[in-house]
Amino acid sequence: MKPEVVMIGLGYIGLPTAALIASNKVNVFGVDINPNVVETINRGEIHIVEPELDSAVASAVKNGFLKAGLKAQEANTYLIVVPTPFKDKNEPDISFVEAATKGILPLLKENDLYIIESTSPVGTTEKMMDYIYAERPELEGKLHIAYCPERVLPGNVMHELVHNDRVIGGVN
Ligand SMILES: NC(=O)c1ccc[n+]([C@@H]2O[C@H](COP(=O)([O-])OP(=O)(O)OC[C@H]3O[C@@H](n4cnc5c(N)ncnc54)[C@H](O)[C@@H]3O)[C@@H](O)[C@H]2O)c1
């Protein structure tokens, strides 16, 4: 079945978010470049330590709402939750966000929603928007593009994902 949501990056933030969405009976396809992560999740198991995440992933996978793979599939919503580390001199490295965005470029279609959740420097969302529209000019102005940085603390993620307030910035 075609997923509704594609979650790119299945780490401390992406996997709990994917499991939470899937637990609401929404089909989620998770993407990660690490084959061990993909295989572990498809067995209904987890590769990180986070309270309550094991049961959430196990039931989401068992009920067929969460699957993982190495390459993105077509969906209606794409969430980018990849690392954004620092390079030398405290300069943010958004190359993972760029790589994840490149991976979904051919899949994007009118009315799709693209959300960056990775903690990113000011201007990243517009930079990615410009990149997407440069590569797919026929879609210009026809996508929904937003930034919604994650604010949860590891150790209480499953609770905070539901109960923390969020900041959402849309470019349109
Ligand atoms: N962990 C936290 O407490 C926390 C809290 C708030 C915000 N954040 C932010 O959330 C983002 C993700 O952090 P995290 O802790 O989940 O990282 P993480 O390292 O736990 O997970 C990131 C995952 O993305 C995968 N990945 C890397 N490049 C990829 C690509 N091109 N395509 C698909 N998968 C790819 C990695 O293999 C890894 O499994 C970062 O921007 C971080 O700053 C983290």
Side-chain angles (χ1 to χ4, degrees), residues 8-14 31-34 37 81-84 96 99-100 117-119 150-152 154:
I8 305 172
L10 296 171
Y12 279 91
I13 302 301
V31 182
D32 205 287
I33 49 171
N34 183 336
V37 169
V81 201
V82 293
T84 42
F96 296 86
E117 283 209 35
S118 298
T119 309
E150 190 45 71
R151 309 177 58 223
V152 294

Side-chain angles (χ1 to χ4, degrees), residues 54-69:
D54 50 356
S55 55
V57 169
S59 65
V61 171
K62 184 166 164 259
N63 294 330
F65 287 104
L66 176 61
K67 290 190 183 67

Side-chain angles (χ1 to χ4, degrees), residues 11-12 16-17 20 25 29-30 39 46 54 56 59 69 82 86 88 102 109 111 116 128 135 145 157-158 160 167:
Y12 279 91
T17 308
L20 180 73
K25 299 191 174 13
F29 189 78
E39 285 159 23
I46 60 174
D54 50 356
S59 65
V82 293
F86 287 113
D88 294 344
K102 191 175 180 188
K109 59 186 185 321
N111 276 327
I116 298 177
M128 289 303 102
E135 297 292 322
I145 297 179
V157 170
M158 297 311 284
E160 294 197 9
V167 177

